[in-house]
Amino acid sequence: MADDDERAPSPEEMLRVIEEQSHATVRLLKGDPRLLYVPWGVSWLLGFAALFLHYGLDGRSYLPISQMQAVSVLMGAMIVAGAVSAYGIVKMNKSVRGDTSARGAMYGYAWLAGMVLASLIAIRLGPMLPAAERGLLWAGGPLLVVALLYMLGGAIWLNWPMFFIGGWTAGVNALGVLLGPGPHALLTAVLLGGGFIAAGLWLWRRQRG
């Protein structure tokens, strides 16, 4: 007579194991939302808050902070956020092979290329613009890259939350650019900074559930 430990698993147990493995695979393929969203939210909350304190809503600074100092805070925070998000993409990519792995690698290179190009454009054209428009160029350009790449990532992995978050980023960025430097900084800090932090934590909890 076979021991209980050696008995064949029941259909219910097999279904439970299959379901658990399926959920684990989905989590791996979608990545950790805390790494993909929260770093950007924190960087925008800090960086664009600094820009808003410089511009104000009426064109008068709320704190004695220069535009260069505010932009430096923003760009430094975004570099850190990009590095953390890239780590999240690489970590997600390690769990897969073949075409999916290649897509992840190309997607990561697209982030690097997009950010470098946006910075080069701002460096080249910035000195030709007034101070306010120069700040919008430095702020709006990288946000455009982020928005499009999130939408592209959603399309690659059929991840609708990522796609819609990219669209939300594009919409907020466009509205802010139309309204001017101060409103752009405020909208981005609140709606994108706070929004990305909330979305990352909510998606993480949803994924765990």
Side-chain angles (χ1 to χ4, degrees):
M1 182 175 180
D3 295 336
D4 290 341
D5 291 341
E6 297 177 353
R7 66 180 176 82
S10 66
E12 291 79 9
E13 291 175 331
M14 290 295 294
L15 287 173
R16 179 180 58 80
V17 172
I18 291 172
E19 185 177 1
E20 289 176 353
Q21 292 301 315
S22 176
H23 285 311
T25 301
V26 168
R27 284 196 297 270
L28 286 173
L29 290 176
K30 288 187 175 181
D32 189 338
R34 294 172 299 176
L35 297 178
L36 299 178
Y37 299 104
V38 174
W40 288 109
V42 172
S43 72
W44 291 337
L45 189 61
L46 295 175
F48 283 99
L51 280 174
F52 175 67
L53 293 175
H54 167 73
Y55 290 121
L57 285 177
D58 54 1
R60 292 180 295 179
S61 298
Y62 295 141
L63 284 179
I65 179 173
S66 69
Q67 184 186 52
M68 182 58 67
Q69 289 172 328
V71 170
S72 297
V73 171
L74 173 62
M75 297 308 295
M78 289 183 69
I79 289 172
V80 174
V84 175
S85 292
Y87 168 75
I89 293 171
V90 170
K91 184 179 179 181
M92 176 179 65
N93 204 40
K94 285 182 178 179
S95 63
V96 294
R97 295 292 184 270
D99 291 343
T100 302
S101 178
R103 283 196 295 266
M106 288 186 284
Y107 183 65
Y109 292 135
W111 275 95
L112 176 61
M115 286 301 178
V116 170
L117 180 58
S119 299
L120 290 176
I121 291 173
I123 291 171
R124 181 67 179 87
L125 299 181
M128 304 177 187
L129 300 174
E133 281 68 27
R134 184 165 61 247
L136 274 178
L137 180 63
W138 274 103
L143 277 178
L144 174 62
V145 174
V146 171
L148 293 178
L149 285 175
Y150 266 103
M151 296 179 74
L152 178 62
I156 291 173
W157 287 290
L158 297 179
N159 187 327
W160 283 105
M162 177 180 280
F163 183 84
F164 285 128
I165 287 173
W168 172 253
T169 303
V172 172
N173 188 36
L175 177 61
V177 168
L178 291 174
L179 294 177
H184 181 271
L186 179 61
L187 289 174
T188 305
V190 175
L191 298 181
L192 294 184
F196 263 59
I197 294 173
L201 295 177
W202 178 75
L203 288 171
W204 175 67
R205 290 194 62 180
R206 181 185 175 191
Q207 203 176 83
R208 284 169 58 88

